[in-house]
Amino acid sequence: MNGTYSQTPTQAQIHRAIKRLPSLQRDEVIASRYLGLSVYWKTRFFDALDMNRGSLKHFAFNQRGWHRFSRMDQPIYAYIDIDRYPETHSLRRGGRVDLYGTIVKVDTVLGITLALDRFEILPLTLFDRFVVREDSHV
C-alpha cells in the first residue's frame, strides 16, 4: 500500500476517455495511463458473486453520487475475502463503501477491477435508506 490515492480519474471518466479512442489504440492507452494507478473512489455496494473459491467473493460496486452519465456507469469490481472481513456479511445494496486500491484491469464492456489495499463501509444516512428502498424495487 503506497498511501497516495487519487480520486481522479473517476471510473466514469476512464470509460468515457477510452470510448473516444480508436478501438486499436485502447489497449495501449489502458496499459500506459490507467493500470497500476492508485485510486480512492466513493462507491455504493451493488452485489457479490460466489466464484466457488471458498471465502473469496467477487464484489461489484457502483460509483457513488449523481452525475450526468450515471446511467451509463459500469461496475467497479474487487475480490474480498469475506472470512477476513466479516463486516461484509451485512452489506446491503446501496450501502456506501469507500475503496482504496490499484487498478489492475480495465474492460470497456465489463468494468474496472481494483486490487484493494483497504475499504471502508460507511454508516447509512437517511438518504441512503431511501436509495436502498428504491433500489430494492428493481
Side-chain angles (χ1 to χ4, degrees):
M1 178 160 61
N2 65 13
T4 55
Y5 300 94
S6 176
Q7 287 186 323
T8 57
T10 65
Q11 170 263 5
Q13 290 169 333
I14 291 171
H15 281 290
R16 282 195 307 276
I18 290 171
K19 286 184 179 186
R20 291 182 182 136
L21 295 170
S23 296
L24 296 178
Q25 293 178 8
R26 290 178 181 164
D27 288 341
E28 181 182 333
V29 170
I30 288 170
S32 65
R33 288 188 194 165
Y34 302 116
L35 296 184
L37 188 65
S38 293
V39 295
Y40 156 64
W41 287 337
K42 296 179 178 190
T43 67
R44 290 197 181 275
F45 172 71
F46 183 72
D47 204 359
L49 177 67
D50 186 356
M51 309 170 308
N52 294 322
R53 292 174 63 189
S55 63
L56 190 66
K57 308 296 181 201
H58 192 227
F59 279 70
F61 302 90
N62 289 326
Q63 186 173 333
R64 189 164 79 222
W66 307 102
H67 59 90
R68 194 167 89 184
F69 302 102
S70 62
R71 289 186 178 176
M72 296 182 285
D73 279 355
Q74 293 175 326
I76 300 164
Y77 296 106
Y79 296 96
I80 299 175
D81 185 339
I82 62 170
D83 286 344
R84 187 171 170 199
Y85 300 101
E87 62 271 22
T88 58
H89 291 274
S90 62
L91 270 174
R92 293 184 183 267
R93 185 175 283 187
R96 299 180 310 151
V97 182
D98 289 351
L99 304 176
Y100 299 81
T102 304
I103 297 174
V104 293
K105 183 178 180 183
V106 178
D107 189 305
T108 56
V109 176
L110 299 177
I112 295 175
T113 302
L114 298 179
L116 289 183
D117 294 326
R118 73 176 208 248
F119 63 94
E120 295 175 8
I121 300 172
L122 303 172
L124 289 177
T125 64
L126 181 62
F127 178 73
D128 293 324
R129 292 175 189 188
F130 174 74
V131 170
V132 170
R133 183 178 40 220
E134 290 299 313
D135 196 34
S136 66
H137 294 290
V138 175

